[in-house]
Amino acid sequence: MKKLILGLAVTASSLAFAQQTPTTSTNPVTFGIKGGMNVSSLSQGADLDDSKSKIGFNAGVFANIPVATNFSIQPEVLYNDLGSKVVYKNNIPVVGEYKREYSRNLGYVAVPVMFQYNVIPNLYLEAGPEFGFLVSAKDKFKSSTNGDANGSTTSDLNKDDFQTFNFGIGIGAGYYFTDNLGITARYTAGVTDIYKNNSGDAVRNNVFQVGLAFKFK
């Protein structure tokens, strides 16, 4: 809870800073919503051998705060669906192809604070830290035979085995087609180990995100 309050305090401090600091920009603070697709992975597979990227989603809100000509700070609050998956395929005589898919699904409330530079009025580059707070941890298993689903099961993982706090560094870009609507892309590399008391190599979240952003004018 203390770490969640810290992350929200960072967002609030950014807003307060923008309100009190004079700038050469005449642009007002704008607010918006965003969402899109995650392609996430775990650096060591999180106990899943031969793990691959998992498709997930992100969605949330943001504030864009001009602090100087061509520069702004964009704090966000997002829900981030992260994790990884592994797929096994076997050809069974008479039966055909039997496919098993295991996925680790980690849900975070993320607070990115992006520092943005406008290359041209509608195109920006960005970089900054992301503070994440684990809210759910689940494993999902599903199987199919010759493409026909056999069923699926979901099991809750013990969140006490995971670090509540996740820290990453993001870089990205975005382009606004109109004053309101734009496309965004960002890669965030995890810095902290997702596990508590991990005696092996650190397991880190990594994610590529692409989506749409809408500013309210």
Side-chain angles (χ1 to χ4, degrees), residues 7-211:
L8 295 176
V10 170
T11 304
S13 298
S14 299
L15 288 166
F17 174 81
Q19 296 293 334
Q20 297 174 10
T21 304
T23 74
T24 57
S25 173
T26 59
N27 295 327
V29 175
T30 55
F31 298 89
I33 57 175
K34 63 182 302 187
M37 180 180 70
N38 286 351
V39 182
S40 64
S41 62
L42 296 169
S43 61
Q44 295 294 327
D47 301 331
L48 299 176
D49 294 334
D50 302 323
S51 66
K52 302 183 184 300
S53 297
K54 181 182 79 73
I55 302 299
F57 73 96
N58 67 87
V61 297
F62 65 88
N64 189 268
I65 307 163
V67 294
T69 303
N70 297 329
F71 285 93
S72 62
I73 298 175
Q74 182 162 300
E76 305 172 358
V77 178
L78 308 173
Y79 181 81
N80 244 352
D81 176 28
L82 305 181
S84 67
K85 72 175 181 180
V86 61
V87 177
Y88 299 105
K89 293 181 180 180
N90 301 98
N91 286 315
I92 301 175
V94 181
V95 175
E97 183 185 76
Y98 179 62
K99 177 180 176 182
R100 294 166 293 156
E101 182 176 309
Y102 301 85
S103 63
R104 180 144 296 175
N105 302 273
L106 304 175
Y108 290 86
V109 173
V111 184
V113 182
M114 293 291 114
F115 297 86
Q116 297 182 343
Y117 171 69
N118 284 87
V119 181
I120 57 176
N122 291 345
L123 174 66
Y124 67 83
L125 303 177
E126 66 177 8
E130 178 177 292
F131 310 91
F133 309 92
L134 183 70
V135 293
S136 69
K138 298 180 179 181
D139 274 353
K140 185 175 182 179
F141 166 76
K142 61 181 179 180
S143 64
S144 63
T145 304
N146 294 324
D148 296 325
N150 297 330
S152 64
T153 59
T154 300
S155 58
D156 291 326
L157 299 175
N158 186 355
K159 288 198 296 181
D160 290 339
D161 294 334
F162 295 84
Q163 297 283 2
T164 303
F165 179 70
N166 182 70
F167 180 73
I169 300 294
I171 58 171
Y175 180 80
Y176 277 86
F177 302 104
T178 70
D179 289 341
N180 302 93
L181 184 64
I183 186 171
T184 65
R186 181 184 300 164
Y187 179 79
T188 302
V191 175
T192 53
D193 194 335
I194 69 169
Y195 284 125
K196 291 180 181 177
N197 306 316
N198 187 359
S199 59
D201 294 332
V203 180
R204 301 182 177 93
N205 284 304
N206 298 295
V207 60
F208 174 74
Q209 301 170 316
V210 61

